[in-house]
Structures are given as C-alpha cells and as structure tokens.
C-alpha cells in the first residue's frame, strides 16, 4: 500500500477521561486548546548595550476547551458528575491524564495528545434564546500543566 501524502482531517477524534461510566458523557463536537508556548525573559549582554538576548524560561499550556450538546448531569455519568462536584461542592479532583486521539477513517489512532494534571476550570452553558432552535451547547474548560504528543 502506497504511503499517503494527504493532510489529516480534524473531525474524527476521541477524548478519554479516567472516570467511571464515561461512555455516554464524552462525546464532543469540538476540542481546542491543545497548545503550548514558552515564556521568555530578556537578558542584556553585560558591557554591550546594543544587544539583548531573549531566553526561554517556562512552558505555558491551554486551557483545553471542550464543547458539546448539553447533557443533563447524572450521578451515573462520569464527566458531568466530576464537573458538578467541582463547581457545586468545591471538591476539585485532579485527574492524572486525559487522552485526545485523532482517528483515521478506520477508527484507528493517527495521533494522541496526553494532557496531565487536569482539573475543571470553567463550565458554561450557551445563551437560552426563544428565537432560535439551536442545540444548547455547554463549554467545559480544563486546566492542565503538561502536553505530550505521541
């Protein structure tokens, strides 16, 4: 079989959390925030006023933003319950990792991003509007401190 030189598409993906009963609760229409950047610090060269060096200092990530049609929180459902515990009861549980996997047309992994030390940062519901018949979208933001591409 010849190697494919086509660029990958972005619409076929899976998000995996380490939570119980998550299968119903982890279907998303979009995932964003898979980004990392390096903060910098300027250092002036001693005795030479014409030069300034920019040095990398630390990495900065996310937040990871997940969007989906609203799913009513249920005690049997993992992700919604995890968010509900964090925002209703101020019981923030940090997950060791979450996997975001880009899939090919045969549902096989092409690329996997692993984010570490994940906790809920924000939980929003879109505007309620009697003039439109759109699906009600909920947005979940997650904080994380490491991003690995496998």
């Amino acid at each position: 079989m010849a190697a494919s030189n086509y660029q990958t598409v972005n619409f076929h993906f899976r998000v995996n959390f380490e939570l119980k009963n998550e299968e119903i609760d982890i279907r998303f229409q979009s995932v964003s925030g898979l980004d990392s950047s390096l903060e910098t610090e300027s250092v002036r060269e001693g005795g030479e006023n014409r030069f300034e060096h920019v040095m990398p200092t630390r990495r900065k990530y996310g937040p990871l933003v997940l969007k989906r049609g609203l799913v009513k929180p249920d005690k049997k459902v993992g992700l919604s319950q995890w968010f509900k515990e964090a925002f209703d009861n101020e019981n923030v549980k940090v997950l060791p990792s979450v996997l975001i996997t880009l899939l090919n047309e045969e549902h096989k992994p092409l690329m996997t991003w692993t984010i570490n030390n994940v906790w809920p940062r924000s939980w929003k519901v879109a505007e309620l509007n009697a003039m439109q018949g759109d699906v009600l979208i909920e947005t979940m933001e997650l904080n994380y401190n490491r991003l690995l591409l496998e």
Side-chain angles (χ1 to χ4, degrees):
M1 182 175 201
S4 174
N5 293 324
Y6 292 108
Q7 297 173 346
T8 57
V9 295
N10 68 348
F11 62 85
H12 192 46
F13 58 89
R14 177 178 59 223
V15 182
N16 290 86
F17 289 82
E18 295 178 5
L19 294 167
K20 295 179 183 175
N21 302 318
E22 68 177 24
E23 60 277 346
I24 300 168
D25 200 27
I26 58 167
R27 297 180 183 142
F28 299 98
Q29 73 179 38
S30 73
V31 174
S32 63
L34 291 170
D35 61 76
S36 61
S37 60
L38 287 172
E39 293 181 350
T40 60
E41 180 179 311
S42 296
V43 178
R44 294 177 189 239
E45 189 170 329
E48 180 61 69
N49 293 329
R50 297 179 296 159
F51 301 105
E52 184 174 277
H53 300 281
V54 179
M55 307 296 289
T57 56
R58 52 184 77 80
R59 292 175 291 212
K60 185 177 178 182
Y61 300 103
L64 186 73
V65 180
L66 307 169
K67 293 185 179 184
R68 67 179 181 183
L70 182 67
V71 175
K72 182 181 175 190
D74 185 349
K75 291 184 180 179
K76 299 175 194 157
V77 180
L79 186 62
S80 292
Q81 188 59 30
W82 182 55
F83 268 83
K84 192 169 173 20
E85 278 292 314
F87 290 105
D88 289 355
N89 301 328
E90 297 178 16
N91 181 16
V92 178
K93 178 184 172 194
V94 177
L95 296 179
S97 64
V98 172
L99 302 175
I100 298 101
T101 306
L102 183 64
L103 305 170
N104 66 14
E105 60 276 358
E106 294 156 356
H107 312 293
K108 299 214 166 90
L110 290 172
M111 301 170 71
T112 299
W113 293 268
T114 302
I115 60 172
N116 297 114
N117 300 318
V118 183
W119 50 270
R121 178 178 177 155
S122 172
W123 198 14
K124 303 171 192 170
V125 175
E127 175 186 18
L128 302 174
N129 187 335
M131 300 299 289
Q132 297 178 352
D134 297 337
V135 172
L136 187 57
I137 301 296
E138 73 177 322
T139 302
M140 300 170 151
E141 284 188 21
L142 302 170
N143 197 68
Y144 63 97
N145 69 2
R146 187 143 191 220
L147 173 67
L148 301 170
L149 174 61
E150 299 171 20

